[in-house]
DNA sequence: CAAACACTCTGGGGTTCAAAC
DNA sequence: GTTTGAACCCCAGAATGTTTG
């Protein structure tokens, strides 16, 4: 374990990513290192510990090792008794560096600037990964569609949903992060009709008419994340590829052709819970994008998606698909500021602003320089007005207080003394 | 050599579930 | 019965190193 600690230390001191990979490559045969990395970064191993709940208790030596402890934690429903066991285990470790390493494993972060993606470059498929195609932002890369044919569809605001039917005909359903969704008995009939070795990608939404996009989103999440049998959910499918291709991470079939395949499959079988996301436009006219965005917003929808017609399906974020949505902003009064965590320790983590008698935290949108400035001169900023970008107003079901979804700091409004918002 | 890309890290609101109070 | 903490869902954006054109 001493050697592993030294390697982790080396990785922390190396700023270059290629350098980190070289260090890992050099230690490729170190089985213990491999095991430490797997137990730390495997997203399906969960230990139920946080910075708060880790408080080592001095105790005698344990007969089990760290991996046995981690296996116990990850295979149980975590409770205080198990947390106490973990804390006693930490407290029994005499060597400070060793204890620090174990603490990092429990928190699932070795803090060395490299994660599953980088590790898998050295040991292929060591850390299980589940990747789907993700979109870039249209307003950051509008040039991507220039002169190319593209397809516009509605942007749906639900839960990403990937249906996988493997070579043997077994069907499973996953979220974007690869979490399996169980209890979807209403999908069984449709799933039987899907050919083996097929992946259908889409958005899971509750089948209710006439709800505003944000309410539909909230109700969908409630249903899809609860335990047991789920009702009234539908898959709004927008893409299709083979399971082989999905595992490879790419389908070279063009987007337009994939959408045709999907459309055929759906119309031939007449599914009850799988619905096709309709195409609203195919062509090269860029002015249509904003026109359809405005229509979507007027229709209480989240926005639109622009898909390049000839692009492959790639299991990563790509500018071959662009999301187009509109943000709003409000000028809000700063109530207080808070210190951050991790790399923001000793500087600004978030500001708290007032919105309709509710306090909202805003922690995104600050440069490092601004974080330091605000943290070191709080009186210059508390009580002042900040321009905050947000997507939409939300209300939680607990106390119905209004809040803002995706709040981001834009700029200071020293020219104003009073907040303003709709 | 600048621009684009890839990846990591920190920050948000809202929900469920299980355990703790 | 209510509160709390972890783990999810939806994310946005800054920083930094690497690759590309």
């Amino acid at each position: 374990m001493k050697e592993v600690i030294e390697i982790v230390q080396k990785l922390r001191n190396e700023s270059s990513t290629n350098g980190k990979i070289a260090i890992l490559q050099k230690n490729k045969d170190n089985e213990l290192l491999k095991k430490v990395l797997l137990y730390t970064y495997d997203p399906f191993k969960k230990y139920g510990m946080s910075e708060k709940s880790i408080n080592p208790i001095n105790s005698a030596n344990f007969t089990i090792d760290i991996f046995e402890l981690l296996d116990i934690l990850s295979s149980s429903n975590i409770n205080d008794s198990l947390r106490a066991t973990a804390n006693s285990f930490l407290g029994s470790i005499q060597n400070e560096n060793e204890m620090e390493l174990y603490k990092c494993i429990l928190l699932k972060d070795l803090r060395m600037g490299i994660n599953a993606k980088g590790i898998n470059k050295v040991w292929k498929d060591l850390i299980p990964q589940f990747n789907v195609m993700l979109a870039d932002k249209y307003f950051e890369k509008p040039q991507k569609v220039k002169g190319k044919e593209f397809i516009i569809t509605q942007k749906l605001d639900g839960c990403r949903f990937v249906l996988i039917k493997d070579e043997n005909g077994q069907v499973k359903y996953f979220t974007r992060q690869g979490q399996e969704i169980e209890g979807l008995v209403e999908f069984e009939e449709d799933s039987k009709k899907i050919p083996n070795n097929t992946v259908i990608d889409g958005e899971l939404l509750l089948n209710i008419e006439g709800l505003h996009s944000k309410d539909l989103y909230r109700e969908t999440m409630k249903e899809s994340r609860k335990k047991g049998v789920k009702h009234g959910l539908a898959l709004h499918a927008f893409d299709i590829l083979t399971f082989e291709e999905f595992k490879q991470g790419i389908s070279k079939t063009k987007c337009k052709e994939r959408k045709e395949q999907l459309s055929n499959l759906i119309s031939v079988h007449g599914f009850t819970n799988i619905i096709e996301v309709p195409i609203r436009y195919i062509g090269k006219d860029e002015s249509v994008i904003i026109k359809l965005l405005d229509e979507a917003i007027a229709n209480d929808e989240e926005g639109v998606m622009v898909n390049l017609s000839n692009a492959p399906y790639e299991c990563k974020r790509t500018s071959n698909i662009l999301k187009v949505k509109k943000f709003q902003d409000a000028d809000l009064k700063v109530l207080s500021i808070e210190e951050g965590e991790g790399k923001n320790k000793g500087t600004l983590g978030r500001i708290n602003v007032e919105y309709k008698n509710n306090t909202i935290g805003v922690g995104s949108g600050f440069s490092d320089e601004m974080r330091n400035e605000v943290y070191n001169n709080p009186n210059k900023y508390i009580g002042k007005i900040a321009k905050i970008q947000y997507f939409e107003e939300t209300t939680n079901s607990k106390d119905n207080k209004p809040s803002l979804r995706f709040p981001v700091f834009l700029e200071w409004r020293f020219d104003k003394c009073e907040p303003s918002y709709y």
Side-chain angles (χ1 to χ4, degrees), chain A residues 136 154 158 179 194 352 354 379 398:
Chain A
D136 270 337
Q154 182 186 348
Q179 297 291 325
I194 296 169
N352 294 314
E354 187 175 20
N379 295 332
K398 211 175 138 201

Side-chain angles (χ1 to χ4, degrees), chain A residues 5 25 134 170 219 279 287 292 296 373:
Chain A
I5 293 165
Q25 200 76 51
L134 299 169
Q170 208 196 347
E219 294 307 313
I279 291 172
S287 69
L292 289 186
E373 162 65 18

Side-chain angles (χ1 to χ4, degrees), chain A residues 100 249 305:
Chain A
E100 197 265 347
M305 303 296 292

Side-chain angles (χ1 to χ4, degrees), chain A residues 20-37:
Chain A
K20 289 179 204 285
I21 287 173
I23 292 171
L24 291 175
Q25 200 76 51
K26 218 168 79 187
N27 294 284
K28 202 173 172 182
D29 298 330
N30 188 327
E31 290 300 318
L32 190 57
L33 173 68
K34 207 170 145 183
K35 203 167 174 185
V36 166
L37 295 174

Side-chain angles (χ1 to χ4, degrees), chain A residues 78-95:
Chain A
I78 194 82
N79 58 32
D80 280 2
S81 148
L82 283 167
R83 287 196 182 95
T85 308
N87 279 320
S88 302
F89 180 89
L90 289 175
S92 75
I93 306 297
Q94 299 302 313
N95 184 306

Side-chain angles (χ1 to χ4, degrees), chain A residues 1-18:
Chain A
M1 200 53 85
K2 203 176 150 212
E3 205 187 335
V4 171
I5 293 165
E6 278 168 17
I7 296 167
V8 168
Q9 207 54 54
K10 263 191 209 162
L11 288 163
R12 285 176 181 162
N13 293 332
E14 171 68 63
S15 68
S16 149
T17 314
N18 287 344

Side-chain angles (χ1 to χ4, degrees), chain A residues 56-237:
Chain A
I57 306 161
N58 268 338
S59 47
N61 278 348
F62 270 62
T63 51
I64 59 167
D65 70 12
I66 179 74
F67 300 110
E68 291 172 275
L69 173 74
L70 295 170
D71 284 336
I72 292 169
L73 294 178
S74 66
S75 61
S76 326
N77 267 343
I78 194 82
N79 58 32
D80 280 2
S81 148
L82 283 167
R83 287 196 182 95
T85 308
N87 279 320
S88 302
F89 180 89
L90 289 175
S92 75
I93 306 297
Q94 299 302 313
N95 184 306
E96 210 171 298
N97 292 327
E98 195 176 341
M99 188 179 90
E100 197 265 347
L101 177 75
Y102 295 163
K103 206 168 139 177
C104 284
I105 301 175
L106 281 164
L107 294 174
K108 299 190 64 69
D109 184 5
L110 297 178
R111 300 188 164 272
M112 49 189 203
I114 191 165
N115 275 330
K117 280 209 168 90
I119 293 164
N120 280 345
K121 282 177 184 163
V122 177
W123 293 274
K124 199 175 177 297
D125 296 331
L126 175 66
I127 315 293
Q129 291 269 278
F130 188 91
N131 294 313
V132 298
M133 184 148 68
L134 299 169
D136 270 337
K137 297 178 185 101
Y138 171 72
F139 290 115
E140 282 180 10
K141 298 180 174 178
Q143 73 279 6
K144 286 284 163 189
V145 303
K146 279 237 160 15
K148 292 182 184 157
E149 186 185 272
F150 51 83
I151 298 168
I152 301 181
T153 56
Q154 182 186 348
K155 184 177 192 314
L156 294 156
D157 195 11
C159 183
R160 187 67 174 267
F161 187 85
V162 181
L163 181 157
I164 296 180
K165 187 160 185 176
D166 67 17
E167 316 67 2
N168 305 315
Q170 208 196 347
V171 181
K172 284 188 175 177
Y173 316 97
F174 298 93
T175 69
R176 193 177 120 176
Q177 258 95 33
Q179 297 291 325
E180 189 175 348
I181 304 181
E182 288 169 324
L184 289 171
V185 292
E186 294 174 355
F187 279 73
E188 280 170 13
E189 282 307 310
D190 287 352
S191 296
K192 278 182 198 158
K193 299 175 187 165
I194 296 169
N196 289 2
N197 190 26
T198 301
V199 175
I200 297 179
D201 192 0
E203 195 84 0
L204 191 65
L205 281 166
L206 214 50
N207 226 344
I208 298 181
E209 294 282 310
L211 272 190
H212 188 286
S213 175
K214 69 173 182 180
D215 299 317
L216 180 58
Y217 165 75
R218 217 177 65 184
E219 294 307 313
T220 296
M221 285 308 171
K222 277 188 189 169
E223 186 65 25
S224 62
R225 296 187 49 70
K226 79 177 190 196
K227 245 187 148 183
V229 174
K230 298 163 181 71
H231 297 283
L233 290 162
L235 164 56
H236 294 251

